[in-house]
Amino acid sequence: MTPSSDAAREWALLEEKIDPLARAVLAAVEPWDAYRTAMDAAGALTTDELITLPHGGGIYRAWSELSDFFEWEGTPISDAHAALREAAHDWLKRPKEPSDAFIEGWIDGVDDARRFFTRRDGDWWNEPGKPSRTE
């Protein structure tokens, strides 16, 4: 089965715009350098060419959440950095051909990290150890 033109265009743009940023996250030694790169990834996804594609909004949200972990008072920076590095590493495992299942699985992985940190550390709206109002 050949991918749709939107899926093929999305895949090419992700390779061009997001893959280099994921590699930069992994290359960053300092956590805050990795954070800034994640912010750049989210910013790259706000361009008209990416945000309107099939997974643009979900990928944008996921990269934004990865940077949010750094800003939550209860989450240790080392844990936020580790989650970001894991997501970048997983991102770079993208298959050569477009795969909805891969993208949706990657987003689910980021969502799992968000749920874990929210339960353990709280976030802007939820106290640690309390049921989340955002789930």
Side-chain angles (χ1 to χ4, degrees), residues 5 7 10 28 46 51 53 62 65 72 74 103 108 120 122 125 134:
S5 62
E10 177 180 59
T46 61
I51 200 70
L53 290 174
E65 285 180 347
W72 295 346
I103 294 293
D108 287 346
R120 187 189 74 180
W125 303 281
T134 57

Side-chain angles (χ1 to χ4, degrees), residues 13-14 29 36 47 52 55 59 64 84 86 98-99 110 113 119 134:
L13 285 167
L14 294 173
V29 175
R36 283 186 282 281
T47 63
T52 59
H55 300 98
I59 297 168
S64 295
L84 175 56
E86 180 178 350
S99 168
V110 173
R119 285 186 195 116
T134 57

Side-chain angles (χ1 to χ4, degrees), residues 114-129:
R114 177 188 46 79
R115 281 188 288 275
F116 171 78
F117 287 140
T118 300
R119 285 186 195 116
R120 187 189 74 180
D121 307 327
D123 60 17
W124 294 300
W125 303 281
N126 303 287
E127 294 180 43

Side-chain angles (χ1 to χ4, degrees), residues 6-131:
D6 274 353
R9 190 165 63 99
E10 177 180 59
W11 219 245
L13 285 167
L14 294 173
E15 183 177 359
E16 175 190 342
K17 307 252 184 201
I18 305 302
D19 290 6
L21 295 169
R23 285 191 283 280
V25 163
L26 293 175
V29 175
E30 294 296 320
W32 289 104
D33 291 338
Y35 162 84
R36 283 186 282 281
T37 302
M39 295 292 288
D40 290 344
L45 287 158
T46 61
T47 63
D48 286 343
E49 61 188 345
L50 281 171
I51 200 70
T52 59
L53 290 174
H55 300 98
I59 297 168
Y60 168 80
R61 181 185 54 78
W63 281 102
S64 295
E65 285 180 347
L66 289 164
S67 60
D68 286 350
F69 301 157
F70 284 77
E71 299 170 9
W72 295 346
E73 288 182 19
T75 302
I77 296 304
S78 60
D79 290 357
H81 188 211
L84 175 56
R85 289 181 53 80
E86 180 178 350
H89 179 265
D90 291 349
W91 176 265
L92 293 172
K93 293 179 182 177
R94 278 188 319 110
K96 292 190 185 299
E97 293 297 319
S99 168
D100 290 346
F102 176 85
I103 294 293
E104 291 160 9
W106 182 83
I107 291 169
D108 287 346
V110 173
D111 288 343
D112 288 345
R114 177 188 46 79
R115 281 188 288 275
F116 171 78
F117 287 140
T118 300
R119 285 186 195 116
R120 187 189 74 180
D121 307 327
D123 60 17
W124 294 300
W125 303 281
N126 303 287
E127 294 180 43
K130 303 267 178 153

